[in-house]
Amino acid sequence: MTGAAAKPDILQPHPVKDQLPGVDFCVSSAPHWAEAILLGFQHYLVMLGTTVIIASVFVPKMGGGNVEKAEVIQTVLFVAGLNTLLQTMFGTRLPVVMGASYTFIIPISSIVLAPKYNIYIDPHERFRETMREIQGALLIASLFPIIVGFLGFWRNVVRFLSPLSAVPLVTLTGLGLYQLGFPKAFRGNYVYVVLCETHNEIGFCNGAETEPKSLDSRLANCIEVGLPQLILLLFISQYLPLVAKSNRAIFDRFAVLFSVALVWVYAEVLTAAGAYDRRPQITQLSCRTDRSGLLTAAPWIRFPYPFQWGSPTFNAGSAFAMMAASFVAVVESTGTFIAASRYGSATPIPPSVLSRGIGWQGIAILLDGMFGAVSGTTASVENTGLLGLTRVGSRRVIQISAGFMLFFSLLGKFGALLASIPLPIIAALYCIFFGYVASAGLSLLQFCNLNSFRSKFILGFSLFMGLSVPQYFKEYFLLTGHGPVHTGTISFNNIVQVIFLSPATVAAIVAVFLDCTLDRAHSSTRPDSGRHWWGKFRSFHTDTRSEEFYSLPYNLNNYFPSF
């Protein structure tokens, strides 16, 4: 008698989950202290990349040297530590790192490259004067998220979000940063374009300087270091756990620490062996481990303090352009918060909690302006992707990482040592982490009816426009030397550029508009968009789980209630 026939496959869709299963530690739980400390240090390493890149881009153009660059990096780390603690304690309370943002590059570059600062012969004086105007613009720009967040305006805006319109927002929050991963730095590079298109007329992009020397973070700029990092991280996190079976998640949870340590040592060996001695300068800047200049320039101990470079100065045009950047940062942070809630295995964020988090993001930008952090703050996309890789969405781990930021911001030499990691190593991490955030957006499709032509149109059109419109703005500059909007008012040009160069912002505007206007009265529209799944989370008190994940500590909800 033959064995029993195999049971036929049961053809049914996967069940919808408003909390992501398979997460080892959710927002309100935590691993034991030793493991939490290692995971927190891992998050600190990941957030260093953006911090070092932004300082390396702007400080030399402001007139600063290695000393000023080290001081700016220490300041950014210090403020990031404070802002991360404030966000995880009093904001959304999600496991989100708050750090420097690429969103503010256009208004900052407009200030840094302004012709009025050419009168300063002393580069240190130029650095201080430029920093003071950046501080003033950030202080003014912080008012927008503070007002729309704490007064509840953003709560009313995000109530229009459905799972359908949130998919393009969250997906392009990750995919929109693709040029920071593998592509080699060249004239079409994102950071290069936005630096050039604000003030090309003063010569930053003309002549022989066709590759800015500080834009050296992409993986392909040092393929012999970046590619091994990417392959090693993939192997340790995805394949090694299948081979080395263990009851404890070691390799997948600490894959970043293992791979970065191994490749960093490998890069040190290549540098010491003279592998780059006769290579082009841009290759040396990308690959060598002794070219950052941070270790010798950083002081042993330094305490950042408010207005350390003088009292801020104010310019209306710079302030309005920076405020447009703060709007884009709010939109992109909204996408990051939604992704973090998925990887923290929390329920969808109530609009009032999301608005509260945006208010605290405004406080973060205010602190950036007070301390002189050279850039505004947004929720870190790469650290949110790390939540997905480790499957640890613990709030406590992120708070520990904030402790590392504060610690290494004060002990300059130790922080500078870690900040000297070759940036192509960080770019290799981005290739995975940005992908995780994009997949968090795609996972929201489970709430939608994908057999609806309305859903297909909104998804496809918004995703396409979110990728196509920013690319149009970049290519227009490459062909003409200026953006599509080229008026006599640079600040207005910058406002338009900063909004339409953001894939997540463009996609969100298109998706929300179409979802709220296209066949809204039809009875199938609400379930097709997934609004019925998120309906019970529109108010803080309609689902008992919201209090577990999002309630304020120390019974502060009694004094600052969520609605």
Side-chain angles (χ1 to χ4, degrees):
M1 182 177 178
T2 58
K7 293 182 179 180
D9 292 332
I10 300 176
L11 302 179
Q12 62 180 13
H14 296 287
V16 175
K17 302 286 187 182
D18 51 25
Q19 289 180 259
L20 181 65
V23 175
D24 296 330
F25 296 95
C26 68
V27 173
S28 54
S29 61
H32 60 78
W33 280 103
E35 189 172 356
I37 290 172
L38 287 175
L39 288 167
F41 182 72
Q42 196 168 236
H43 274 278
Y44 166 74
L45 283 182
V46 170
M47 67 83 58
L48 270 178
T50 302
T51 301
V52 175
I53 291 170
I54 290 179
S56 299
V57 167
F58 287 115
V59 172
K61 295 298 176 185
M62 295 165 65
N66 287 333
V67 173
E68 287 80 9
K69 183 165 71 171
E71 290 175 349
V72 168
I73 289 175
Q74 285 182 267
T75 301
V76 174
L77 286 176
F78 182 80
V79 177
L82 288 179
N83 292 334
T84 300
L85 285 176
L86 291 173
Q87 186 66 234
T88 54
M89 292 182 68
F90 307 114
T92 59
R93 306 216 71 209
L94 288 168
V96 171
V97 170
M98 303 298 292
S101 172
Y102 294 106
T103 302
F104 294 84
I105 284 179
I106 290 179
I108 294 171
S109 64
S110 182
I111 296 172
V112 170
L113 304 175
K116 64 182 178 181
Y117 291 114
N118 292 337
I119 64 173
Y120 295 101
I121 300 175
D122 183 4
H124 299 289
E125 186 178 2
R126 173 174 179 148
F127 171 81
R128 296 175 69 89
E129 292 299 319
T130 308
M131 179 64 82
R132 291 171 62 196
E133 184 173 342
I134 293 174
Q135 289 183 257
L138 285 171
L139 290 173
I140 299 298
S142 68
L143 296 177
F144 174 78
I146 288 175
I147 291 172
V148 302
F150 287 135
L151 294 185
F153 294 115
W154 198 248
R155 174 187 65 205
N156 296 329
V157 170
V158 296
R159 287 187 191 277
F160 290 104
L161 268 181
S162 67
L164 180 65
S165 55
V167 170
L169 167 61
V170 181
T171 301
L172 291 191
T173 298
L175 288 186
L177 298 171
Y178 72 95
Q179 289 198 13
L180 297 175
F182 206 97
K184 184 177 175 67
F186 68 111
R187 287 185 68 88
N189 182 277
Y190 170 77
V191 181
Y192 181 84
V193 167
V194 296
L195 277 172
C196 292
E197 66 185 355
T198 50
H199 281 282
N200 186 40
E201 65 274 11
I202 72 173
F204 176 68
C205 304
N206 291 333
E209 191 174 5
T210 56
E211 286 189 351
K213 297 177 182 178
S214 57
L215 304 184
D216 56 352
S217 63
R218 286 26 169 206
L219 185 153
N221 277 1
C222 188
I223 197 73
E224 61 267 39
V225 172
L227 189 57
Q229 170 63 44
L230 179 59
I231 294 173
L232 194 60
L233 180 59
L234 283 171
F235 175 74
I236 294 177
S237 63
Q238 305 300 322
Y239 292 97
L240 192 55
L242 302 177
V243 177
K245 296 181 179 179
S246 173
N247 293 329
R248 299 184 62 185
I250 298 176
F251 296 109
D252 48 353
R253 196 166 292 174
F254 300 105
V256 171
L257 290 179
F258 291 139
S259 59
V260 169
L262 290 173
V263 178
W264 193 8
V265 170
Y266 163 67
E268 288 278 4
V269 172
L270 291 179
T271 301
Y276 306 112
D277 291 348
R278 303 192 180 196
R279 300 287 293 276
Q281 186 178 14
I282 185 113
T283 302
Q284 294 194 35
L285 287 170
S286 299
C287 302
R288 296 184 69 99
T289 58
D290 57 359
R291 282 301 183 95
S292 68
L294 295 176
L295 193 57
T296 56
W300 282 102
I301 298 177
R302 182 179 181 273
F303 292 88
Y305 54 92
F307 309 115
Q308 55 192 322
W309 286 291
S311 57
T313 59
F314 299 93
N315 177 278
S318 300
F320 282 116
M322 198 75 78
M323 193 169 293
S326 71
F327 163 72
V328 173
V330 164
V331 174
E332 293 178 349
S333 290
T334 299
T336 307
F337 287 143
I338 294 173
S341 69
R342 291 296 294 171
Y343 287 128
S345 194
T347 54
I349 316 173
S352 60
V353 173
L354 195 49
S355 187
R356 187 177 72 197
I358 294 303
W360 280 102
Q361 181 175 335
I363 298 296
I365 299 174
L366 179 69
L367 292 176
D368 292 332
M370 291 176 60
F371 282 85
V374 89
S375 175
T377 289
T378 190
S380 171
V381 179
E382 54 268 33
N383 287 89
T384 301
L386 182 56
L387 299 177
L389 181 70
T390 60
R391 301 186 185 184
V392 177
S394 170
R395 182 190 302 127
R396 180 185 297 173
V397 168
I398 300 301
Q399 291 172 339
I400 291 173
S401 75
F404 279 112
M405 297 174 210
L406 295 172
F407 177 78
F408 285 114
S409 70
L410 303 179
L411 299 180
K413 291 290 186 185
F414 297 99
L417 176 64
L418 294 171
S420 63
I421 296 174
L423 293 179
I425 293 179
I426 304 297
L429 304 181
Y430 288 169
C431 293
I432 292 180
F433 298 152
F434 294 159
Y436 263 111
V437 173
S439 66
L442 294 175
S443 71
L444 300 178
L445 291 173
Q446 64 180 309
F447 302 109
C448 309
N449 179 13
L450 295 181
N451 291 317
S452 163
F453 277 93
R454 177 183 181 274
S455 300
K456 292 177 185 296
F457 171 72
I458 293 175
L459 283 173
F461 185 66
S462 58
L463 286 170
F464 182 85
M465 296 302 289
L467 293 172
S468 185
V469 171
Q471 186 65 23
Y472 163 72
F473 272 74
K474 297 171 193 174
E475 292 187 359
Y476 193 99
F477 164 76
L478 294 176
L479 293 173
T480 64
H482 57 78
V485 179
H486 187 57
T487 67
T489 306
I490 294 177
S491 59
F492 178 76
N493 300 343
N494 292 341
I495 290 172
V496 176
Q497 302 287 5
V498 74
I499 293 174
F500 289 100
L501 273 172
S502 168
T505 303
V506 173
I509 292 172
V510 173
V512 171
F513 174 78
L514 292 176
D515 193 31
C516 292
T517 60
L518 190 60
D519 205 15
R520 186 67 186 269
H522 198 279
S523 59
S524 64
T525 296
R526 187 170 185 270
D528 286 351
S529 297
R531 292 183 182 275
H532 61 304
W533 286 105
W534 280 11
K536 61 181 177 180
F537 302 107
R538 293 301 183 191
S539 175
F540 183 83
H541 298 289
T542 52
D543 191 282
T544 57
R545 293 170 293 177
S546 295
E547 186 172 354
E548 175 189 354
F549 298 120
Y550 303 113
S551 62
L552 293 172
Y554 315 119
N555 294 320
L556 289 176
N557 269 75
N558 296 332
Y559 306 98
F560 305 99
S562 298
F563 302 100

